[in-house]
Amino acid sequence: MKNITIITVTALLAAAFTSPKQSKAQGSVCFSNATNIYDGTFPLGAVSKDFNGDGKMDMAFVSLDVWAFADSGKVFVAIGNGLGGFSPPVNYSAGIHTYDILSDDFNNDNKYDLAITNFASNDVSILLGDGVGGFAPAVNYGTGHHANSLSSSDFNSDGNVDLAIVDGDSMVTVLSGNGAGSFAVIGNYRIGNAPQKIISDDFNNDGKADLLATNYMSDNVSLLLGDGTGSFSSAVNFGPVYSPWQVTSGDFNADGNKDIAVAGYGSEGIDVLLGNGTGSFGPVVWTYLGTSSYSITSADFNGDNKLDLAVARVGAQGTPLHADTLSILLGDGTGAFFQYYQEIPKFSLGVGVPWDMVNADFNGDGSEDLLIANNDNLSVLLNCHTTGINDVESGNAILKISPNPFREETVVSFPNPDNADHSLALYDITGRIVRSMNNINGTSVKLDKEYILSGIYICELVNKTNSKRLVSKLIIE
């Protein structure tokens, strides 16, 4: 077992550059540099919930020790501190070769539990949560051969959470939950070859959960419509989607129907399929990225009320694995995502293949952050989109910057009831002062971008009479 690193993050900012191709963008995107919090082998899947009920997001992940394959059945749980950091993980045993993980309430006690697929022991492990961050020993339930990805929902409308699992035999196994934490197989369905990810959502607007799986070797996705009794239709395949790995769903074009976006290993982009609300999809729309991608998730990352995509990409051919990057694609609300080409915002990840990605608010600022499971570590990237980052001494006062982002100049406004003098400093992401001004009087000052590169900065205003500070994020395009 390798060392665990505890992190406490208060303000990590990374440069985010824009392009003329972004003229339709409704806001900039900003993430901290990746902070790697686990030094181990092959983290494959991760999930985030509030396991101890303190209002702060925690996480759990599974990790494969390739050097001790027969004993590679560990689940790790780490408690969040609300600032973006986590406690040292506590580990629990599961089956052999843990592969994927999710969290839901399986025994109806309003506490989060865990479900883990075990690739080598052909089963799923259920660990019931105690609501204070601990979990009971695993109880295993049989699945298909080489259990892979899993998803949860109430498939038979009995008020209890059920499970759906894809396996190495290209099957979906549906397990019905009894509401007490136990499960039993109620159905098996054939899908495409080498499925890698399964999700559940309502794709035909009938109020019943459906299933969608990516088929790596078939170059398509399989949709199974649920009837609300626990049964599903035969799979209908959509594509072509080249080497699909992970998939995320959401209403990307605001028409009330669920759409999907697929990351493809072997593809140089992502594929978007817009749903028509009847259980079918329109033609595949491909967005170029330049390199293959493994994991993908969707959320509103820039605060414009439109769904965006986060895509974890592997390094280009001939580059080392540590060249992996995270790319953010901003949605325009019509189902299209901005193609940044070489100017796409990229944030370096840890070493290895980015197998899984989770979005959650880890530091309580109202913006979606990211947790990425790489081969050798876990990467946390904090969303620094939120403006108005105020010092505790500043009370309810706000440092206003308008326009923000700006291209040539902006106005910094602030309250000054005592007509005091102020000083202003502009810091880049390394903490270096790139602009300073003294003896500022009145309630505003103008800033220009002369000799300053585009990117993310921190603007600090200090009252020279009482030393009170106002701090806010500033973006230069």
Side-chain angles (χ1 to χ4, degrees):
M1 179 68 185
K2 299 192 177 179
N3 294 329
I4 303 296
T5 303
I6 307 173
I7 64 167
T8 301
V9 183
T10 55
L12 295 173
L13 296 178
F17 296 93
T18 59
S19 152
K21 298 181 180 69
Q22 292 176 249
S23 59
K24 292 184 181 180
Q26 299 301 308
S28 298
V29 62
C30 172
F31 276 87
S32 70
N33 292 323
T35 302
N36 297 324
I37 63 172
Y38 169 69
D39 180 18
T41 54
F42 283 89
L44 295 180
V47 68
S48 180
K49 297 287 186 181
D50 180 8
F51 296 130
N52 62 349
D54 65 354
K56 302 169 185 176
M57 297 303 292
D58 311 310
M59 71 167 177
F61 61 97
V62 292
S63 182
L64 167 65
D65 185 351
V66 295
W67 307 114
F69 185 85
D71 190 36
S72 57
K74 298 296 183 183
V75 183
F76 299 87
V77 177
I79 302 302
N81 64 9
L83 299 173
F86 297 88
S87 68
V90 175
N91 69 78
Y92 299 85
S93 296
I96 302 174
H97 188 159
T98 53
Y99 196 94
D100 197 11
I101 184 171
L102 66 75
S103 181
D104 213 325
D105 181 9
F106 301 128
N107 59 347
N108 294 326
D109 63 354
N110 296 313
K111 301 168 185 175
Y112 285 113
D113 311 310
L114 296 173
I116 298 96
T117 53
N118 303 303
F119 186 82
S121 53
N122 307 320
D123 52 21
V124 58
S125 296
I126 303 298
L127 290 79
L128 299 180
D130 61 10
V132 295
F135 292 86
V139 178
N140 299 329
Y141 300 90
T143 65
H145 185 61
H146 289 336
N148 192 332
S149 172
L150 76 167
S151 182
S152 65
S153 189
D154 181 7
F155 299 130
N156 57 358
S157 307
D158 65 353
N160 304 320
V161 176
D162 310 310
L163 295 172
I165 299 169
V166 292
D167 61 43
D169 289 334
S170 299
M171 299 290 292
V172 175
T173 299
V174 179
L175 294 87
S176 175
N178 67 357
S182 296
F183 292 86
V185 175
I186 59 171
N188 294 280
Y189 302 87
R190 176 71 61 184
I191 54 175
N193 295 329
Q196 295 299 321
K197 186 69 176 179
I198 187 168
I199 60 173
S200 57
D201 210 329
D202 181 8
F203 293 106
N204 60 347
N205 292 329
D206 64 354
K208 301 163 186 174
D210 309 311
L211 295 171
L212 186 137
T214 59
N215 304 310
Y216 177 72
M217 296 299 293
S218 299
D219 292 333
N220 56 24
V221 298
S222 292
L223 177 64
L224 297 85
L225 297 178
D227 65 2
T229 70
S231 296
F232 292 84
S233 66
S234 297
V236 177
N237 297 327
F238 297 91
V241 180
Y242 186 61
S243 302
W245 202 262
Q246 282 205 3
V247 60
T248 184
S249 63
D251 184 4
F252 302 138
N253 59 349
D255 65 351
N257 304 319
K258 290 300 176 68
D259 314 306
I260 59 171
V262 185
Y265 179 67
S267 171
E268 292 188 340
I270 59 103
D271 296 288
V272 175
L273 291 82
L274 299 180
N276 64 8
T278 65
S280 186
F281 296 94
V284 177
V285 178
W286 186 65
T287 298
Y288 175 75
L289 291 180
T291 58
S292 299
S293 55
Y294 265 95
S295 52
I296 187 170
T297 190
S298 55
D300 178 13
F301 294 114
N302 65 341
D304 65 354
N305 296 315
K306 300 168 185 175
L307 285 177
D308 311 307
L309 298 175
V311 185
R313 303 162 57 195
V314 296
Q317 186 175 4
T319 64
L321 284 177
H322 65 257
D324 295 349
T325 55
L326 167 75
S327 294
I328 304 297
L329 297 176
L330 297 181
D332 67 358
T334 71
F337 295 89
F338 290 101
Q339 301 181 40
Y340 293 95
Y341 300 97
Q342 297 305 314
E343 291 93 8
I344 188 168
K346 291 179 284 190
F347 308 90
S348 295
L349 304 178
V351 176
V353 177
W355 285 95
D356 199 12
M357 177 161 46
V358 176
N359 59 278
D361 182 6
F362 295 121
N363 60 353
D365 66 353
S367 296
E368 290 294 298
D369 309 309
L370 291 168
L371 170 68
I372 300 171
N374 306 296
N375 272 61
D376 292 298
N377 49 42
L378 289 165
S379 298
V380 172
L381 295 90
L382 298 180
N383 190 329
C384 47
H385 166 76
T386 305
T387 57
I389 307 171
N390 300 321
D391 186 85
V392 293
E393 294 182 308
S394 60
N396 294 322
I398 297 175
L399 184 64
K400 296 181 179 179
I401 302 174
S402 181
N404 188 16
F406 73 95
R407 292 183 180 274
E408 300 301 330
E409 62 181 30
T410 189
V411 175
V412 180
S413 303
F414 52 93
N416 190 11
D418 300 326
N419 201 31
D421 286 339
H422 290 74
S423 64
L424 182 146
L426 197 64
Y427 298 86
D428 66 13
I429 60 173
T430 69
R432 179 175 64 94
I433 296 178
V434 297
R435 178 70 56 81
S436 63
M437 302 173 67
N438 286 307
N439 301 318
I440 301 170
N441 198 268
T443 60
S444 67
V445 63
K446 185 177 293 186
L447 272 180
D448 61 57
K449 65 168 292 186
E450 186 177 9
Y451 306 118
I452 303 177
L453 297 175
S454 299
I456 307 296
Y457 297 87
I458 288 294
C459 183
E460 178 190 58
L461 188 82
V462 178
N463 186 313
K464 299 180 73 173
T465 299
N466 56 25
S467 298
K468 288 187 176 181
R469 303 166 60 246
L470 291 174
V471 181
S472 186
K473 184 185 68 177
L474 181 149
I475 303 170
I476 299 177
E477 294 184 334

